[in-house]
Amino acid sequence: MPDDGPRRDDGARADDRPSGDGGARGHMKGPWEGAGGRLVGLGVSQGRAAGPMIRLGEPPKLPAPGPVTDPGAEAATVGKALEAVAAELNRRALAAGGEAAEILEALAMIAEDPILLEEAERHTAGGHAAPHALDAAFTKHREALAALGGYLAERAADLDDLKHRAVASALGLPMPGLPSPGHPYVLVATDLSPADTAGLGPDVLALVTERGGPTSHTAILARSRGLPAVVACAGVMDLDDGTMIGVDGGTGEVAIGLSEQETSEVVQGETARRARLQASRGPGGTADGHAVKLLLNIGSAADLPQGEDGADAEGVGLFRTEFLFLDRKQPPSFEEQVSAYAEVFARAEHVVVRTLDAGTDKPLPFLGLPGEQNPALGVRGLRVDRLLPGVLDTQLDAIATAARQAGAEPWVMAPMVTTAGEAGDFARRARAKGIARVGVMVEVPAAALRAGRLLREVDFLSIGTNDLAQYTFAADRQHSVLADLLDPRQPALLELIARCAEAGVRAGKPVGVCGEAAGDPLLAPLLVGLGVTSLSMAGVCVPAVREALAEVTLDECRERARAALE
Ligand code: PEP
Ligand code: MG
C-alpha cells in the first residue's frame, strides 16, 4: 500500500481494512462493540443503521458434475429447493400486493408445477446431483415455453430467474435478486445494479457493498434517499445472512454481531440525529462565524426544494444543464433552453449555471459526437466547442436571455477547462453575451496547478472533485476496483484543492467545491480549512454538512486540513 493512502479522521486508513478481527486495532468510534468484529469500507452516505443483514443473491455457478452416491437424497433436495422458491415468492406476493402480487404468485405456481418436479427427479434418478437436475429440468421447460411463441415465449426469461433461485437453494446459497424477508434489513451485495437499486423497498435500512466507489451508483442513490451506505467493504459477502450488523455510513464501519442493547442504541441515536437534521436551518458557517455558502447541485428546476421541508440552502452551486437534455435525439430549441433556465432563475436567488458537460459518462446523442477510443480523455465538456462551436454560443445566448427575463444575475461556468487560454476564451464569449460573473470548473490537474493564472481570466473557480480525482489518479470514476484511489481524502487531491483555494485568497475571488466530496460532513470542515469558500451538494446532504461545520472553529478546520495534507 502507498504511504499516503486515504486516512479517515480517526486515523484508520480506508485501504487498510481489518477483516473481522474483533476491532483489535482500537481505532473505531461509537457506542457499538460488535462481538463478531468489524469491517471497514468507504462510508458514502451518512447515517447509522443496525439490523439483520441479508445478501443480495447472485446467479449461482453450477459446480462441476461429480459422482452421486444417494439419488434419493438428491431428489429430496430438488423437492425442498422448489418448495423454498415457491414459499419465498408467495411471501413476497403477500408483502407486495396488487399487480406485483399476481405476477409473483404466477411464478410461484410454476415452481410448484408437478411436471417440473418430475422432470428434475428423472434426472436425479439418472445420477445427476440436485443442482444439475434442476438446471436441466428448467432448461427443458424454458425451451418448451419458447417454442410456443408469443406471450408465453416472452415469459421464458422468467424461468431463468426461477432456475437461479432453485439452484441456489439446492446449493445452500442465498437466492438471487432483492430479498423481501418481511422485516427491515441491511442489504449486502457485491455491487448493486441500477435495476436492483430501483427496486429497493422501504424495508432496506442501509446498504453495504463489497465493490463500488464514492461516485458509484450505490453511493449516489443512497445519498439521494438518505440511506446510510458503505461501499468497497471487503469481506462483507462472507458474513452469514441474518447476522446483526451495525452500519456507519460516515466512517465506513460495519460492526458484526451487535447485541440487542447496541442495536437499540444505534436506532435511538439515528432517530435523534435525523430529528436534529430536520430542524437544521440557516446559512452555513463555522462555530466562530466564518461563513461558508451551502449550495445545491441540481439537474433541473424539479430538484429545487419545495416548501418548508426542503433543504435550506443559499442557492444553486451547480446547475448541470446537460441533465435537461440527456435522452434527446434532437437538439433543444433556443426557446426551450430559455424557458428551462428561466424557471430555475425565477425560483432560486443565486444560481451557478454550468454549460453543457457532454461526453463520456454524460453522452448527449443530439450532438452526434463521433465515438472515441478513450472518451474520458477526448472531446468532452468545453472541448465540444472545438467540433461544434455553435452549441456553446447558443447556450450562452439562451442563459443571458433567461437571466434578463427572470431579472436574475446567474454566474456561468464551463466544465473541463484545462488551460488559462481556454478560460480566457470562454470568459470573453460569455461576457460578450452580457453575462457578468464568469467562472470555470477545475476538474483537470493542469487547471488546478495553474489556478492563479486561471483566476486572472475569470471571476471564480468551482472544483469538481469527481473528475479531478479521476484525472489526478488516472482512475476511471466509475471503476469500483479503484475506489480507494478515488477517495477524496487522498492527499494529492487535497493538495490540488489547497492550491486552488490559496489562489482564490490571493486574487480575492471565490473558490468552491461542487463534486460529491462537498456533501460529506466529515470532509466539509477539512475543505473549509483548505480555504474553500462554498460547498455545493445534493439537497439531502445540506443539513448534515451545516451541523458538522457549526461544531468546529475555523482554526480547527485549518488544523484538520494541515493534518490531512501531512
Ligand atoms: C465533478 O466532476 O466533480 C462534477 C461536479 O461534475 P460531474 O460530476 O457532473 O462530472
Ligand atoms: Mg465533472
Side-chain angles (χ1 to χ4, degrees), residues 354 357 362 380 443 467 477:
R354 175 172 79 182
D357 185 20
K362 303 179 214 91
R380 59 162 297 199
E443 301 179 281
D467 276 314
R477 63 190 267 183

Side-chain angles (χ1 to χ4, degrees), residues 318 320 354 357 361-362 380 415-416 441-443 464-468 470-471 477 514:
L318 172 62
R320 290 180 161 111
R354 175 172 79 182
D357 185 20
D361 58 327
K362 303 179 214 91
R380 59 162 297 199
M416 278 296 287
M441 286 191 74
V442 176
E443 301 179 281
T465 44
N466 308 337
D467 276 314
L468 188 56
Q470 159 165 267
Y471 294 120
R477 63 190 267 183
C514 67

Side-chain angles (χ1 to χ4, degrees), residues 273-274 276-281 294 309-312 521 537-549:
R273 187 187 76 92
R274 284 178 189 254
R276 213 168 44 244
L277 294 185
Q278 206 150 22
S280 164
R281 288 281 177 276
L294 303 182
D309 286 341
D312 184 24
M537 64 203 88
V540 293
C541 301
V542 172
V545 169
R546 182 191 291 115
E547 296 301 307
L549 289 180

Side-chain angles (χ1 to χ4, degrees), residues 17-152:
R17 294 171 203 127
S19 48
D21 62 356
R25 287 155 204 259
H27 59 252
M28 308 295 180
K29 290 191 285 194
W32 56 40
E33 286 306 322
R38 299 157 197 250
L39 301 175
V40 182
L42 282 179
V44 291
S45 178
Q46 287 292 307
R48 284 177 158 200
M53 61 161 270
I54 303 184
R55 287 168 297 168
L56 179 77
E58 293 176 10
K61 290 192 182 69
L62 275 178
V68 167
T69 49
D70 185 354
E74 298 300 323
T77 305
V78 158
K80 278 197 200 121
L82 290 172
E83 265 172 34
V85 172
E88 161 69 6
L89 290 167
N90 281 324
R91 192 166 59 233
R92 284 178 60 186
L94 212 60
E99 207 176 317
E102 283 172 30
I103 295 168
L104 292 166
E105 279 164 6
L107 288 169
M109 277 171 68
I110 300 177
E112 287 165 331
D113 186 343
I115 298 176
L116 186 70
L117 176 63
E118 267 170 36
E119 178 68 20
E121 284 175 344
R122 208 169 57 73
H123 285 282
T124 55
H128 293 281
H132 292 278
L134 285 162
D135 185 66
F138 271 106
T139 303
K140 186 165 176 207
H141 232 60
R142 187 192 204 288
E143 280 165 7
L145 262 193
L148 293 173
Y151 173 80
L152 287 172

